[in-house]
Amino acid sequence: MHVFVLALVFSLVLFPSCLVAEGQEGPSPDSANTIEVSDILAQQIKVRPVGHGRVRDTLRLPGRVQLDEQRLARIGASVTGRITALYAILGQEVQRGDILAELNSTELGAAQAAYLKAASQVSLRKLAVSRAQRLLAGDVIGSAELQEREGELVAAQVEMQAGADQLRVLGMTDGDIKQLTRNRQIDSHSHITATLNGVVIGRRISLGQVVQPSDTLYTIADLSHVWLVAEIPENQAYLVREGQEAEVEIPALPGPSARGQLIYVADVVDPNTRTVTVRMDVPNPQRQIRPNMLASIVIHTRATPELVVPAQAIVRQGREDFVFVQNDPRHFTLRPVKLGPNGGEFRGVVSGLTVGEPIVVEGAFHLNNERLRRNLD
């Protein structure tokens, strides 16, 4: 993570005066954390007062390119059958409705025969109702017989409708069903068609293969957009939000980085990695960004004013951070500070320092080594 400081107020000259933070007492000269510097050591350090700066965090999250699942289709057959023709191959661009393959299905033929039988029954029942109406008008039969014929017609119509629904489930369109009703010719061939404009990125089908409706035969993806998925540490998750602009860096591709938006920030933390999943939508008009490429999401957070110190002024001991505060021109005290999550050239200060306090900004490492050496003597 890198930090940019847009405006930072630091004195450019040494600050020799003896200052102590308001409300704090200066450490005693014999304190283990206080050191008196020699003339030689004094020439190796620089002191400047703590100031405010506008800090903007840059988060660089390693990630991976994935298919946009909203632009992905896994296509199979609508009916059990044997493949008789193949028309689409890997890498081929297809349009919605294009025929990818063809199969022959006895199941489809049987369903068409059942539908035609039901349609014939409807025609017969209609004739029976019409004849019963004429006989009732001639007082040859009673109304009960007409009602019986009408009931038989309704039952036949229900069966015909159920047959039509079954044909739709097996992949036939309303136009196909009308043509079947009109021509009364069974056609047991069924087409596997594309349901999405895109590229064939997967094919698990061969001639003569017997397929089931549960089998995925083709995978088609629209690669005009892809997803970039990354994990952000839980203590930095508050810095990102949905809709935030971000950049993509892909080492495998030359040229400028792509830009996009964060479309998803997980609401839960992964208990194993202590991270939060973020997802970015990336336009890919030239299809140069390929799924499974390694990439990084670069997120620039909003700049906020805060108290800052140079990173080289920080002394790290164990899990704690310290800085050397000047008591007078010759004495310096190691003081614990709490820093913000941002890192890089400058660090934000949460607590431990106040504006104007003189701290060592160069030579803190040498100063701390001298302090440790003297404490061991």
Side-chain angles (χ1 to χ4, degrees):
M1 180 175 58
H2 188 64
V3 178
F4 296 94
V5 176
L6 305 181
L8 183 63
V9 181
F10 274 117
S11 171
L12 298 179
V13 297
L14 295 180
F15 195 91
S17 61
C18 177
L19 293 178
V20 179
E22 183 178 353
Q24 297 179 345
E25 296 182 357
S28 59
D30 58 347
S31 170
N33 289 331
T34 300
I35 180 173
E36 181 179 356
V37 299
S38 64
D39 292 339
I40 297 178
L41 186 56
Q43 295 177 1
Q44 300 180 33
I45 62 176
K46 289 185 179 181
V47 179
R48 292 176 183 169
V50 179
H52 281 101
R54 294 185 64 86
V55 180
R56 183 173 68 173
D57 294 336
T58 297
L59 305 176
R60 182 169 277 100
L61 308 175
R64 58 198 179 277
V65 179
Q66 291 185 353
L67 293 169
D68 183 343
E69 294 182 5
Q70 303 297 325
R71 302 170 186 265
L72 182 67
R74 294 181 174 86
I75 300 171
S78 300
V79 61
T80 300
R82 186 179 298 276
I83 301 299
T84 57
L86 295 174
Y87 304 113
I89 61 175
L90 283 175
Q92 180 176 332
E93 292 191 32
V94 296
Q95 301 295 316
R96 183 174 183 176
D98 285 355
I99 298 176
L100 308 177
E102 186 176 296
L103 59 84
N104 191 302
S105 172
T106 57
E107 180 183 355
L108 178 61
Q112 291 177 355
Y115 171 78
L116 291 176
K117 181 179 179 181
S120 296
Q121 288 295 318
V122 168
S123 298
L124 291 175
R125 299 305 178 191
K126 285 182 177 179
L127 291 175
V129 168
S130 178
R131 180 172 179 275
Q133 289 174 340
R134 292 196 301 271
L135 293 174
L136 178 62
D139 203 21
V140 175
I141 62 174
S143 59
E145 187 169 346
L146 173 61
Q147 292 175 356
E148 183 179 351
R149 300 292 178 267
E150 290 174 341
E152 291 172 350
L153 172 61
V154 170
Q157 289 173 332
V158 169
E159 187 174 352
M160 178 181 172
Q161 183 61 46
D165 291 341
Q166 179 65 22
L167 292 178
R168 293 187 185 96
V169 171
L170 296 179
M172 293 187 66
T173 64
D174 289 340
D176 295 334
I177 295 173
K178 289 180 180 179
Q179 183 176 356
L180 174 64
T181 305
R182 182 171 56 253
N183 298 337
R184 305 186 71 81
Q185 293 181 351
I186 294 176
D187 182 5
S188 60
H189 290 83
S190 176
H191 295 152
I192 300 172
T193 59
T195 58
L196 181 74
N197 298 341
V199 179
V200 178
I201 63 170
R203 194 184 87 160
R204 302 180 62 183
I205 186 174
S206 58
L207 283 174
Q209 178 181 346
V210 176
V211 298
Q212 306 288 335
S214 59
D215 298 336
T216 297
L217 306 179
Y218 286 95
T219 301
I220 297 176
D222 177 1
L223 299 177
S224 62
H225 283 253
V226 293
W227 283 351
L228 183 55
V229 179
E231 307 293 331
I232 182 172
E234 61 178 337
N235 64 336
Q236 296 175 335
Y238 73 95
L239 295 172
V240 300
R241 66 185 184 281
E242 290 186 19
Q244 192 169 355
E245 293 288 336
E247 298 177 2
V248 178
E249 293 182 351
I250 302 178
L253 295 180
S257 58
R259 298 189 64 86
Q261 284 189 335
L262 297 182
I263 60 173
Y264 172 75
V265 178
D267 294 319
V268 297
V269 175
D270 187 321
N272 297 318
T273 62
R274 310 309 307 175
T275 58
V276 174
T277 300
V278 297
R279 185 184 302 142
M280 178 180 176
D281 177 68
V282 184
N284 186 31
Q286 304 301 321
R287 287 169 44 190
Q288 291 184 324
I289 305 176
R290 292 174 169 83
N292 298 320
M293 275 185 166
L294 297 179
S296 295
I297 296 180
V298 181
I299 306 172
H300 301 295
T301 63
R302 186 171 57 184
T304 56
E306 58 181 298
L307 202 64
V308 296
V309 295
Q312 60 186 356
I314 301 166
V315 177
R316 184 75 172 175
Q317 293 189 177
R319 295 186 177 181
E320 294 185 291
D321 296 310
F322 299 82
V323 296
F324 277 101
V325 180
Q326 186 183 48
N327 304 319
D328 58 47
R330 289 290 185 177
H331 292 85
F332 298 84
T333 298
L334 188 67
R335 182 188 297 174
V337 293
K338 184 177 180 181
L339 304 177
N342 49 299
E345 186 179 358
F346 289 90
R347 298 290 302 274
V349 179
V350 177
S351 63
L353 292 172
T354 57
V355 176
E357 284 193 277
I359 63 170
V360 175
V361 297
E362 290 186 20
F365 176 78
H366 301 296
L367 193 58
N368 191 52
N369 284 344
E370 181 65 15
R371 181 188 67 86
L372 294 173
R373 187 188 64 80
R374 294 185 183 182
N375 288 339
L376 291 175
D377 292 342

